[in-house]
Amino acid sequence: MNEKLHKILYIALSLLLAVAFWLFVDNEQENTIERPFNGIPVEFIGAEDALPSRNLMLSGGMDATLDVVVRGPRAIVSGMKREDLRAQVNVSNINSVGTYPLSYTILTPDNIRPGEITTECSRSAVTVQVSTLYSRTLPVSVNVTGDVVDGCIYMGERMLAEPSTLTISGRAEDVDQVETVRVTVDLTGANSTIQREFDYQLLDAEGNEVETSGLRLSERRVQVTAPVFITKELPLTVKIKEAPGSLEKDARCELADQTITVAGEAANLENVDEILLGEVDLSALLSSTDIPLDINMPAGCVNLSNLASTTLSVRFSRNLETRSFTVTNIVPMGLSETQRFSRLTNSLDVLVRGPAEELENVTAEDIRIVVDLTEFASNGTYSVKAQVFVDNHDQVGAIGGDYTVACKITS
C-alpha cells in the first residue's frame, strides 16, 4: 500500500511541475505579442509658456503624430488602448527662430511596470519650426441687438466689457487678418441688467469671421454687463414748514417742474414714489421769492429728464403785512435751581408778519423772546439761539430767520 501511494503522489507532482513549466514558457516566449498603434499625437512641453515668454511660437510640426509598435505579454498589450500612449517633445530650451529635430518620449500607463513592454516608433525625431510670436491688442466691441420690455431702458453708456481689450498672438499674417473683436448681446425681452460671460468672434476688415486655430488669445470669453433699468416718472415735492404768520394757505408755493423721469435697478426704485427736494421754512422768508432747489437722485438711479435743479416760487398773500418791534421781554428757561441768568442783550428788533387787521393790534408787550439754556450746565458767557412768540395773536409770528441773545450764567 505504501509503494502504491508513493507512485500516485509522484505522478501528481510530475503533472503539476509540467503544467507550471508550460505556463512559464508560454508566458515568457510564446505569449509575447506586438501591436501597432498609429497616429499618436505629440504633446509639446513649453509651447504655451516657455516659448511665448521669449516672443517665440511653434509655426510648424504642431500636428505631428507617431506610429508606435508595442511589444509585450499578451495579457498587457491586448488590453491597451490608443489613449494609453502619449508622446511628448520638450521645446522649453529653444531660444531662437529656426527648424529643430527633437527627440521624444513615449509615456505608458502607470500600472505598467518599467520593462514589461517595449515600444518602437516610425521615426527617430520630431521636426518643429519656431517663428517669432507676433501680437496685437484690439478693443472689444459689444454689438447689442433686440429690444427690452416696455417700461425699461438699456443704458448703453454704462455697458462694461471685461476685459475691454484682447491680445491676439501668432504668425503676423494670421494676426493681421483680425480687425475686430466682437461680442453680440441679445436684449430681446430683457427686464433687468444682464451680466455674464459671452463668446466672441474675430472678424476681418470685411466682417467675415476669422478662424482662431493657430492663434493665441489672452482670454477665452468676455464678461459683459449690459445695464437694463426700469423707468419711472416721479413727482417732485417740497416740505413746507409753517409758523404763525407764515402759513402755507397764505402763500402760493409752486415748483417750476412738477415731475421728472428716472431710471434705475428695480431694487433701487421699487419703494420710491417721489423725490423730496428739501424743506422750506416760510418764516425764514421776508417776502415773496424764488428758491433754487437741487434735484438729488435716489442711489444708483439716473435722471433721464436731465434736470439738475428746479425753482420753487413762493408768493405770499397780499393780505399779509410785516412790522418791526423792539422787544425787551427776554426770559430764560431750562436753568437749574442754582443757576442765575444775566442777559447781555437788552433788546432785539423783531420782524413779525400776519393779516393786516390783526397786526394792527400787536404791541411789543405781546412779543416774548425765550432763551432755552437746558444744555448749558456750566457757568459762562454764551450766545444762544432764541425763540420768538407772539402771545394772544395766533395768526401773527416772527419772520426773518434766527434770533440770538448774549447772556451770562452764574451760580
Side-chain angles (χ1 to χ4, degrees), residues 153 155 228-232 262-269 299-302:
I153 184 173
M155 307 297 293
V228 176
F229 289 177
I230 65 170
T231 60
K232 203 170 185 179
V262 302
E265 299 284 2
N268 293 333
L269 275 177
C301 295
V302 180

Side-chain angles (χ1 to χ4, degrees), residues 17-252:
L17 291 173
V19 170
F21 180 74
W22 179 85
L23 290 174
F24 172 78
V25 171
D26 181 68
N27 184 63
E28 294 297 321
Q29 297 182 18
E30 296 181 9
N31 199 35
T32 298
I33 65 170
E34 61 179 40
R35 183 180 171 194
F37 294 88
N38 297 328
I40 304 300
V42 177
E43 304 172 7
F44 295 94
I45 307 302
E48 297 298 318
D49 44 26
L51 290 185
S53 70
R54 303 171 190 137
N55 287 326
L56 298 174
M57 62 171 287
L58 289 180
S59 57
M62 301 88 69
D63 56 352
T65 60
L66 295 175
D67 296 334
V68 181
V69 175
V70 178
R71 186 178 293 107
R74 182 188 303 275
I76 296 176
V77 176
S78 62
M80 292 182 65
K81 303 186 292 294
R82 180 173 176 271
E83 293 76 18
D84 291 333
L85 296 176
R86 295 165 56 204
Q88 288 186 344
V89 172
N90 192 341
V91 298
S92 299
N93 295 324
I94 297 176
N95 294 302
S96 60
V97 172
T99 300
Y100 298 87
L102 301 172
S103 61
Y104 54 80
T105 302
I106 301 297
L107 302 179
T108 57
D110 294 337
N111 60 354
I112 299 178
R113 295 191 302 272
E116 280 193 302
I117 63 172
T118 60
T119 59
E120 182 179 336
C121 299
S122 57
R123 62 169 101 173
S124 59
V126 173
T127 300
V128 298
Q129 288 80 44
V130 176
S131 303
T132 299
L133 182 68
Y134 175 70
S135 299
R136 287 177 65 201
T137 299
L138 296 174
V140 175
S141 171
V142 180
N143 179 37
V144 176
T145 63
D147 295 325
V148 300
V149 299
D150 289 343
C152 290
I153 184 173
Y154 165 58
M155 307 297 293
E157 71 280 6
R158 295 191 169 203
M159 186 276 298
L160 294 175
E162 182 61 37
S164 59
T165 61
L166 193 74
T167 300
I168 306 169
S169 306
R171 299 187 306 171
E173 56 268 33
D174 294 333
V175 173
D176 282 341
Q177 291 185 66
V178 182
E179 290 294 329
T180 306
V181 179
R182 185 178 69 186
V183 177
T184 299
V185 178
D186 185 5
L187 294 182
T188 301
N191 59 4
S192 61
T193 294
I194 292 176
Q195 184 179 41
R196 63 181 178 86
E197 289 187 338
F198 289 84
D199 294 322
Y200 56 80
Q201 294 175 302
L202 304 182
L203 305 179
D204 62 19
E206 298 178 355
N208 301 313
E209 187 168 1
V210 176
E211 177 59 44
T212 60
S213 60
L215 294 176
R216 291 174 54 86
L217 306 169
S218 59
E219 300 288 341
R220 289 296 173 185
R221 307 192 85 194
V222 174
Q223 178 165 296
V224 175
T225 301
V228 176
F229 289 177
I230 65 170
T231 60
K232 203 170 185 179
E233 186 176 26
L234 296 175
L236 301 176
T237 62
V238 177
K239 183 177 180 181
I240 301 298
K241 182 179 180 181
E242 298 181 300
S246 300
L247 301 177
E248 188 174 1
K249 69 180 184 63
D250 294 323
R252 188 175 74 252

Side-chain angles (χ1 to χ4, degrees), residues 335-342 377-380 408-411:
L335 290 174
S336 68
E337 294 182 356
T338 61
Q339 289 179 312
R340 297 294 179 264
F341 169 78
S342 301
S378 59
N379 296 338
K408 186 175 183 181
I409 301 175
T410 58
S411 298

